């Protein structure tokens, strides 16, 4: 999350500071001119700009959601390019304008004072609105690149709050910041970030079929780079550099960085040389004995009770020039006879309207316009097409939908609870589903519709499946669908896995008997070695834990929740023996526990062929085994003194690999790119575990250095993320 927050934090800080400085100068100029009554006009313009920016963000979000998948990629890529253009222009503009910003704004304000309230509102609106629109666009782009909004929103919020605090400090003359240096330094960082956004945008355009070369990779390091490590996450979140990038991405990234950074640095050097030339000329005049009266000091125009804008935020020479150039105008504005009478009629006229009218209007108008744009861009509103379903007639009222994201209101008019699926009738592929739609109820089913054939299939609780008439949708590319899996499809993988578990249990029985014999004979050193061997065998059978019933708690139960903890009489099995072996308990105290473990292992092997093994458990266990590993073994939570948590994690990984072998035929046809990615993840995690294995010993989890632990957690987390689609891909659906 926080790695995705940094780019938004920087843009929020820069844009917020830029807008805040403008508002501060506006307020300071009005206060100096004795026109405090005009301050609400400034805040009205600021409020309008904020409302417009938020409305713009809403339009981007909801407009993109109404497009097809391919169109969303093209839309997002285009806006990424636009965002890069805006950020680039903003960086160069602030590099040129930082020195003279105060003077320029003062001139605009004094002109607005003479022209009435509307012009002052418009001045503040335009000044802040540009920064707001740029921020909204860049924030939307970074959130889309990160596939989440919490980090970018948090980063932008922190940046804006910090910018507001800085502007307040500058206004109160608490802080002194060289704005030229600040905007130069942040400009360099933003150019690098913008290069990453450009690369991401080009990739989106390739995936949206706007640009070619989507499969022409300049490099693909996904098999050797730890994508879950902190440095990989940081590079991808901040710079949008990914392990695999196409030639178009690389060319755009490098080309933009080389050209824009060169121009920016040359401009900075040119400004520095020009500034030194001006300083040298001024110094020469002074050294030559010319009278100082030729350049009189700017008179002070700030009342003692009102602190001015912190002009020390820019170099003094620039501030003096801007103040001197506008001091005469400010003095004329501050004069009661010159400034107040013209504004009196406008003030009297304004008082005839309610004070809240204009602020409410400037907020409501952008929101209303945004709502109209969203409504027109999204032909299917939230209350979409109503489709009636029942046990005898499925899909009443179903008409060919428009391509894009659609919201169907499914209403059960029958007497039975039904499963409802939106399918491709030619392949039974599922685009969307509702489980357990009760009689008389209505629920939403959201699906992305693209080119293809669609039909509804209703499967009542007690009855045969009913399929609606198929409709054809043309236009966009195909939407993502999942080919359903039946219990018959899982029969062969289940049979193969049961055979694997049966062989593992036979080995376990032999190993636990040897462990019991070691303890009975007092060979505690050998018992520690045999304990780890037997425990790893049991850990490799993770996908069958749900089938083992009460045996699992007896064989590998934890002491959590037991009244006596590790000394409770109900604490048995591997972990109880581990506690005794590594806490100096004599063999006499462990004989009974070891014999009980051997008996329970033999009992499990005898009972397993007759236990009910639900085929739908297999896809779930592909993810859950390593979830438990990350939660327990890699935190040391289950360690009772042996320090072999990584050895158990290694056995869990072996069990996951075996499970994927039996599921491979089903996964290959449904997600051909999934298994190569998962295999690379497993190889990466296996190497990290092997590095902690030294002969017959393993590094305890609590002795791993911070970097090694972070890499291990990151690799496991990445594998979990890539395995997460398996349960959905292989879910047993009644639509088949």
């Amino acid at each position: 999350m926080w790695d995705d927050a940094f780019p938004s934090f920087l843009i929020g800080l820069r844009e917020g500071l830029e807008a805040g400085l403008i508002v501060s100068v506006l307020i300071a100029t009005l206060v100096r001119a004795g026109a405090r009554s005009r301050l609400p006009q400034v805040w009205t313009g600021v409020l309008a700009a904020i409302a417009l920016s938020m409305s713009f963000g809403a339009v981007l979000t909801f407009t993109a959601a109404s497009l097809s998948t391919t169109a969303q990629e093209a839309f997002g890529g285009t806006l990424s390019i636009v965002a890069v253009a805006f950020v680039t222009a903003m960086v160069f503009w602030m590099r040129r304008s930082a020195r003279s910003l105060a003077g320029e704004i003062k001139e605009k304000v004094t002109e607005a004072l003479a022209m009435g309230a509307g012009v002052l509102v418009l001045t503040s609106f335009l000044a802040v609105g540009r920064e707001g629109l740029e921020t909204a666009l860049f924030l939307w782009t970074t959130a889309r690149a990160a596939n989440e909004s919490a980090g970018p929103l948090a980063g932008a919020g922190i940046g804006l709050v910090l910018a507001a605090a800085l502007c307040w400090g500058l206004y109160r003359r608490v802080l002194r910041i060289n704005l030229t240096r600040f905007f130069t330094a942040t400009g360099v960082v933003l150019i690098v970030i913008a290069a990453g956004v450009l690369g991401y945008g080009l990739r989106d355009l390739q995936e949206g079929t706007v640009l070619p070369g989507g499969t022409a990779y300049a490099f693909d390091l996904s098999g050797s780079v730890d994508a879950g490590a902190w440095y990989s996450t940081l590079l991808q979140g901040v710079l949008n550099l990914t392990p695999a990038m196409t030639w178009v991405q690389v060319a755009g990234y490098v080309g933009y960085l080389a050209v824009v950074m060169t121009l920016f640095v040359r401009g900075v050097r040119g400004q520095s040389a020009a500034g030194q030339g001006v300083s040298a000329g001024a110094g020469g005049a002074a050294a030559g004995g010319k009278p100082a009266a030729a350049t009189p000091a700017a008179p002070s125009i700030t009342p003692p009770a009102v602190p001015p804008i912190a002009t020390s935020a820019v170099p003094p020479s620039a501030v003096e020039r801007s103040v001197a150039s506008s001091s005469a105008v400010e003095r004329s504005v501050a004069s009661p006879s010159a400034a107040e009478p013209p504004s009196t009629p406008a003030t009297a006229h304004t008082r005839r309207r309610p004070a809240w009218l204009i602020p409410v209007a400037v907020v409501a108008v952008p929101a209303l316009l945004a709502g109209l744009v969203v409504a027109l861009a999204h032909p299917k509103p939230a209350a979409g097409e109503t489709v009636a379903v029942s046990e005898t007639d499925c899909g009443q009222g179903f008409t060919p939908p428009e391509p894009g994201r659609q919201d169907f209101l499914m209403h059960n008019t029958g007497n039975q609870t039904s499963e409802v699926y939106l399918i491709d009738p030619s392949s039974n592929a599922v685009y969307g589903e509702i489980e357990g739609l009760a009689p008389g109820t209505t629920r939403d089913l959201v699906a992305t519709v693209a080119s293809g054939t669609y039909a509804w299939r209703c499967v009542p609780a007690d009855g045969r499946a009913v399929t609606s008439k198929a409709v054809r949708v043309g236009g966009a590319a195909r939407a993502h669908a999942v080919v359903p899996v039946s219990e018959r499809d899982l029969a062969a993988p289940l049979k193969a896995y049961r055979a694997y578990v049966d062989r593992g249990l036979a080995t376990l029985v032999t190993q636990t008997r040897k462990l019991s014999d070691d303890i009975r004979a007092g060979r505690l050193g050998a018992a520690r070695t045999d304990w780890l061997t037997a425990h790893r065998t049991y850990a490799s059978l993770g996908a069958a834990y749900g089938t083992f019933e009460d045996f699992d708690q007896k064989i590998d139960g934890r002491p959590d929740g037991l009244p006596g903890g590790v000394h409770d009489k109900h604490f048995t099995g591997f972990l109880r023996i581990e506690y005794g072996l590594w806490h100096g308990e004599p063999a006499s105290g462990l004989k009974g526990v070891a014999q009980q473990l051997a008996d329970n292992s033999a009992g499990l092997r005898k009972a397993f062929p007759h236990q009910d093994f639900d085929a739908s458990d297999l896809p779930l266990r592909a993810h859950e085994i390593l979830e438990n590993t990350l939660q327990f073994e890699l935190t040391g939570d289950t360690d009772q003194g042996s320090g072999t948590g990584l050895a158990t994690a290694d056995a869990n990984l072996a069990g996951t690999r075996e499970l994927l072998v039996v599921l491979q035929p089903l996964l290959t046809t449904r997600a051909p790119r999934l298994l190569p990615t998962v295999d690379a993840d497993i190889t990466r995690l296996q190497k990290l575990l092997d590095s902690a294995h030294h002969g017959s010993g393993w590094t305890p989890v609590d002795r791993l250095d911070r970097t090694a632990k972070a890499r291990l957690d990151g690799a496991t987390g990445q594998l979990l993320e890539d395995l997460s689609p398996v349960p959905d891909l292989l879910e047993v659906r009644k639509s088949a």
Side-chain angles (χ1 to χ4, degrees):
M1 169 180 169
W2 295 113
D3 49 286
D4 298 320
F6 178 73
S8 298
F9 163 77
L10 192 62
I11 200 72
L13 176 61
R14 273 190 60 107
E15 297 282 10
L17 186 57
E18 183 180 341
L21 286 173
I22 293 173
V23 173
S24 298
V25 174
L26 290 173
I27 294 173
T29 305
L30 290 175
V31 170
R32 290 170 180 172
R36 288 177 175 270
S37 61
R38 310 291 290 275
L39 291 178
Q41 297 165 12
V42 174
W43 293 118
T44 298
V46 171
L47 192 63
I50 294 174
L52 177 65
S53 303
M54 296 180 68
S55 300
F56 179 58
V59 168
L60 291 178
T61 301
F62 289 103
T63 300
S66 68
L67 302 175
S68 65
T69 303
T70 304
Q72 285 183 31
E73 299 293 345
F75 181 72
T78 302
L79 288 185
S80 295
I81 306 300
V82 174
V84 170
F86 279 166
V87 170
T88 306
M90 176 263 293
V91 166
F92 280 91
W93 182 81
M94 283 306 299
R95 189 204 68 195
R96 293 191 304 267
S97 305
R99 292 177 177 270
S100 58
L101 180 64
E104 294 177 3
I105 297 300
K106 288 176 182 177
E107 292 177 7
K108 293 180 181 180
V109 175
T110 52
E111 293 174 3
L113 281 170
M115 298 180 67
V119 178
L120 188 58
V121 171
L122 183 62
T123 300
S124 59
F125 170 76
L126 293 177
V128 179
R130 189 193 66 155
E131 278 70 32
L133 292 176
E134 290 176 356
T135 302
L137 178 58
F138 192 86
L139 188 60
W140 182 87
T141 303
T142 53
R144 191 173 184 276
N147 287 321
E148 58 102 8
S149 57
L153 285 175
I158 294 172
L160 290 172
V161 170
L162 181 57
L166 288 173
C167 289
W168 181 88
L170 291 171
Y171 183 82
R172 305 298 299 181
R173 302 197 72 169
V174 176
L175 303 175
R176 298 179 185 276
I177 298 176
N178 188 314
L179 292 181
T180 302
R181 293 180 181 176
F182 173 82
F183 284 118
T184 298
T186 55
V188 170
V189 179
L190 274 179
I191 288 173
V192 176
I193 292 175
V197 175
L198 176 63
Y200 176 83
L202 292 174
R203 181 58 181 165
D204 272 356
L205 291 177
Q206 288 179 311
E207 293 180 351
T209 67
V210 176
L211 292 179
T215 58
Y217 288 95
F219 58 85
D220 186 354
L221 305 177
S222 56
S224 56
V225 173
D226 185 2
W230 65 269
Y231 52 85
S232 299
T233 305
L234 185 64
L235 285 175
Q236 186 166 346
V238 176
L239 304 180
N240 273 304
L241 292 176
T242 58
M245 296 182 69
T246 65
W247 284 107
V248 172
Q249 284 181 278
V250 172
Y253 186 96
V254 175
Y256 172 88
L257 202 59
V259 174
V260 176
M261 188 67 78
T262 300
L263 294 175
F264 184 79
V265 172
R266 285 180 179 177
V268 171
R269 291 176 177 174
Q271 280 190 336
S272 300
Q276 292 173 0
V278 171
S279 300
K290 296 295 182 182
T295 55
S300 176
I301 59 175
T302 306
V306 182
I309 182 69
T311 51
S312 59
V314 292
S317 58
V319 174
E320 291 172 0
R321 288 195 301 272
S322 65
V323 173
S325 65
S326 59
S327 59
V329 180
E330 289 177 336
R331 285 196 299 272
S332 65
V333 173
S335 172
S337 60
E340 295 300 332
S343 64
T344 302
T347 302
H349 176 70
T350 303
R351 289 175 180 172
R352 296 173 188 172
R353 296 190 299 266
W356 51 265
L357 182 60
I358 293 180
V360 171
V362 299
V363 173
V365 169
L368 179 62
L369 292 176
L372 290 174
V373 171
V374 171
L376 294 175
H378 200 327
K380 292 289 183 181
E385 179 182 28
T386 299
V387 180
V389 299
S390 68
E391 59 271 22
T392 57
D393 194 357
C394 187
Q396 299 178 47
F398 181 48
T399 58
E402 295 293 328
R405 185 173 180 271
Q406 301 297 329
D407 190 346
F408 301 97
L409 300 181
M410 311 306 300
H411 179 62
N412 190 344
T413 59
N415 299 318
Q416 294 188 36
T417 299
S418 295
E419 312 287 317
V420 181
Y421 303 90
L422 179 62
I423 66 168
D424 179 348
S426 61
S427 64
N428 289 328
V430 177
Y431 294 95
E433 63 184 291
I434 294 179
E435 297 181 356
L437 182 61
T441 60
T442 301
R443 285 164 59 186
D444 287 348
L445 188 152
V446 179
T448 299
V449 176
S451 176
T453 305
Y454 297 86
W456 292 103
R457 180 163 294 169
C458 305
V459 185
D462 298 314
R464 300 180 60 182
V466 181
T467 305
S468 72
K469 181 180 178 181
V471 300
R472 179 74 186 174
V473 176
R478 293 187 61 85
H480 175 70
V482 178
V483 179
V485 173
S486 66
E487 292 188 3
R488 181 184 303 174
D489 296 327
L490 285 172
L494 179 60
K495 180 179 179 181
Y497 194 77
R498 288 187 71 107
Y500 162 77
V501 173
D502 191 62
R503 292 193 300 271
L505 290 177
T507 302
L508 179 68
V509 170
T510 301
Q511 292 171 344
T512 53
R513 284 175 180 169
K514 188 173 186 301
L515 172 61
S516 179
D517 292 342
D518 289 337
I519 293 176
R520 186 181 299 109
R523 300 188 296 269
L524 297 186
R528 293 187 183 93
T529 301
D530 292 338
W531 174 89
L532 180 58
T533 301
H535 190 237
R536 280 169 51 82
T537 297
Y538 185 78
S540 66
L541 309 177
Y545 288 168
T547 304
F548 292 165
E549 299 174 352
D550 294 339
F551 283 103
D552 183 49
Q553 180 62 31
K554 297 175 182 178
I555 292 174
D556 203 35
R558 296 191 294 272
D560 305 349
L562 296 178
V566 294
H567 303 292
D568 195 282
K569 64 179 181 179
H570 296 294
F571 181 34
T572 61
F574 279 111
L575 300 188
R576 171 64 182 87
I577 296 174
E578 177 189 7
Y579 181 84
L581 287 175
W582 274 271
H583 283 83
E585 190 170 344
S588 59
L590 294 174
K591 288 181 182 179
V593 181
Q595 184 60 51
Q596 185 180 4
L597 174 62
D599 292 343
N600 285 331
S601 298
L604 174 59
R605 189 199 176 191
K606 183 178 180 180
F608 177 70
H610 310 288
Q611 290 176 331
D612 184 20
F613 199 145
D614 190 346
S616 62
D617 282 350
L618 288 180
L620 294 175
R621 298 294 182 264
H623 190 264
E624 290 176 351
I625 296 172
L626 289 177
E627 271 188 342
N628 290 335
T629 302
L630 187 62
Q631 181 179 0
F632 298 112
E633 273 70 38
L634 295 186
T635 60
D637 187 66
T638 57
D639 183 29
Q640 300 299 322
S642 67
T644 57
L646 296 185
T648 305
D650 181 73
N652 288 338
L653 183 62
T656 301
R657 187 187 290 110
E658 183 66 31
L659 179 58
L660 292 173
V661 168
V662 301
L663 294 177
Q664 181 177 357
L666 297 177
L667 289 173
T668 301
T669 57
R670 288 163 175 79
R673 297 182 181 180
L674 177 63
L675 283 180
T677 301
V678 169
D679 287 342
D681 293 340
I682 290 177
T683 300
R684 185 182 305 118
L685 180 55
Q686 187 66 65
K687 288 180 179 178
L688 293 173
L689 290 171
D690 290 344
S691 66
H693 187 197
H694 313 286
S696 60
W698 293 77
T699 302
V701 172
D702 58 1
R703 294 184 187 176
L704 290 171
D705 62 69
R706 183 176 300 179
T707 301
K709 181 65 166 60
R711 288 177 178 173
L712 199 58
D713 290 344
T716 308
Q718 184 64 48
L719 177 54
L720 278 171
E721 182 177 342
D722 291 334
L723 284 173
S724 60
V726 173
D728 185 60
L729 288 170
L730 302 185
E731 179 184 354
V732 176
R733 291 178 168 91
K734 296 180 180 179
S735 61

